[in-house]
């Protein structure tokens, strides 16, 4: 989670941090790449090097979910990729709507990596009459008033919020009422949701501040 | 850092994690907001509640940088905001270029939160003749060949990479040679840089995977 609190989840009574889940995503990408390159086995040391971490961390991250590989023999690339894919819930397609048909919404509607990772954009909402009716990558921009219908008919589970900050809370409340369970928020606003909902914030200025902190510390 | 390794930095021999720096950014935003609301003092418990963490974590995060506040008396909002602003290197303006004049570049060129946080976009580069010469928010899109000149004349220190994946490494290498020291990468590609350079990756699908992991774990 960026810009928000410090989240985590429980699995069989064990606390799994958001950072572990984030590392799983990184391992999955690397294993997928290795598989495409025809690599069959990778040592935890080599995978750690690629991921910018160490073997112990990888073993610990994976240990929450079962036993993978045998010490000294390395991991079977295809099998481990498949397991992590399942852990992350990526062995299926997730249906997503974009809330906000501004520039960022337009950029995301054309982001082909979504499909590659199992995320299918099935709706785009706005309230601007000039935007409504436009067709982006085969998806028609619809009025926010249609969200209940679209969420129900298209079985949507996730929404990406790219509205202006002032509109974000109302839009999240409406999409939540329509049945959306997970939100990725790009709007520069702290949002409230009820406990059953998953919310992550992407704050680009926080990422830039990580750079400025490091650059000015390196100099002083 | 998203989608990349697990970084950190050293300060007076102490290892400061990227997560500590990220939390400082969150504290800074909250303190800034409290200051605008006229709040003069905040307890660490109240600040922790707002940040989604606990008092001990806040005290630990701040302890790396000095002594702030007195136990039992809370933090003076304006003074602490000012200190964290300085720690993060935000007590000055940082000059930034956008590499890539596609949809995401366009969205970011219009992102007013940058100025508010001390980041000033002073150049936009592309290689597409149709893009070059367009003026976005007062900034003319220029050919990548002009990057050395712009970086030197405008004293640019940071670049945001929003090129297609296949072009990103070459663009980073050129901007690095031109003197850029910090990169925020949105291109879906793992990039190599030399040791003196700061690089962070923003991978939107990794953020979505944090949601899908949590949603499917909650159900199983």
């Amino acid at each position: 989670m960026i810009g928000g609190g410090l989240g985590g989840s429980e699995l069989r009574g064990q606390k799994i941090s958001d950072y572990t889940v984030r590392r799983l995503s990184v391992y999955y990408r690397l294993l997928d790449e290795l598989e495409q390159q025809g690599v069959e086995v990778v040592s935890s040391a080599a995978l750690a090097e690629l991921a910018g971490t160490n073997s112990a961390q990888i073993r610990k991250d994976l240990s929450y979910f079962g036993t993978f590989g045998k010490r000294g023999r390395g991991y079977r690339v295809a099998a481990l990729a498949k397991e992590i894919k399942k852990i992350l819930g990526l062995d299926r397609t997730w249906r997503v709507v974009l809330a906000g048909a501004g520039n960022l919404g337009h950029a995301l509607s054309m982001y082909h990596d979504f499909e590659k990772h199992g995320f299918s954009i099935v709706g785009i909402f706005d309230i601007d009459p000039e935007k409504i009716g436009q067709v982006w990558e085969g998806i028609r921009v619809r009025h926010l008033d249609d969200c209940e219908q679209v969420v129900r008919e298209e079985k949507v589970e996730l929404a990406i919020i790219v509205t202006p900050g002032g509109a974000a809370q109302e839009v999240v409340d409406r999409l939540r009422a329509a049945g959306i369970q997970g939100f990725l928020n790009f709007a520069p606003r702290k949002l409230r949701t009820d406990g059953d909902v998953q919310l992550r914030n992407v704050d680009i200025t926080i990422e830039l501040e990580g750079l400025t902190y490091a650059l000015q510390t390196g100099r002083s």
Side-chain angles (χ1 to χ4, degrees), chain A:
Chain A
M1 186 177 320
I2 317 177
L6 310 160
S9 55
E10 286 220 352
L11 186 77
R12 297 192 290 270
Q14 281 186 301
K15 180 89 178 162
I16 313 287
S17 79
D18 282 345
Y19 303 129
T20 291
V21 178
R22 194 180 289 276
R23 283 190 296 267
L24 289 179
S25 285
V26 173
Y27 305 153
Y28 174 61
R29 277 160 182 68
L30 294 168
L31 290 163
D32 190 48
E33 213 170 287
L34 290 170
E35 192 180 352
Q36 282 172 36
Q37 291 164 8
V39 177
E40 291 187 9
V41 175
V42 65
S43 68
S44 59
L47 186 60
E49 168 78 28
L50 289 170
T53 181
N54 57 60
S55 316
Q57 182 73 68
I58 292 187
R59 281 194 294 268
K60 181 162 184 247
D61 289 335
L62 294 177
S63 72
Y64 294 115
F65 304 98
T67 311
F68 303 94
K70 285 181 186 158
R71 201 179 267 253
R73 293 223 196 144
Y75 296 112
R76 298 189 62 83
V77 170
L80 185 58
K82 200 175 157 195
E83 284 295 336
I84 298 181
K85 192 174 184 176
K86 211 167 120 189
I87 291 166
L88 293 173
L90 301 179
D91 52 348
R92 45 159 292 198
T93 298
W94 293 81
R95 299 166 79 78
V96 184
V97 291
L98 288 171
N103 282 295
L104 185 53
H106 199 189
L108 294 181
S109 76
M110 301 176 70
Y111 192 67
H112 297 295
D113 256 37
F114 284 149
E115 288 288 343
K116 210 178 103 190
H117 286 84
F119 299 101
S120 178
I121 307 276
V122 297
I124 305 167
F125 301 110
D126 209 296
I127 53 168
D128 178 352
E130 286 194 19
K131 294 284 168 59
I132 292 161
Q134 289 186 16
V135 178
W136 294 358
E137 302 286 300
I139 311 287
R140 191 162 57 89
V141 179
R142 297 176 65 165
H143 195 284
L144 184 64
D145 288 345
D146 295 340
C147 75
E148 283 83 3
Q149 188 195 341
V150 172
V151 168
R152 192 178 59 239
E153 288 178 0
E154 299 278 351
K155 299 184 172 44
V156 180
E157 291 166 294
L158 303 172
I160 302 179
I161 307 298
V162 281
T163 65
Q169 184 66 54
E170 192 198 329
V171 168
V172 165
D173 291 344
R174 289 191 64 174
L175 289 170
R176 173 61 186 137
I180 299 276
Q181 296 172 294
F183 293 92
L184 186 63
N185 176 41
F186 281 84
R189 195 61 59 103
K190 200 172 152 66
L191 301 175
R192 295 175 308 277
T193 56
D194 55 283
D196 288 341
V197 171
Q198 294 293 327
L199 168 71
R200 285 180 175 241
N201 297 292
V202 178
D203 184 330
I204 298 164
T205 58
I206 285 192
E207 299 301 320
L208 284 171
E209 288 172 22
L211 292 175
T212 59
Y213 167 80
L215 287 176
Q216 73 117 23
T217 304
R219 284 173 200 159
S220 62

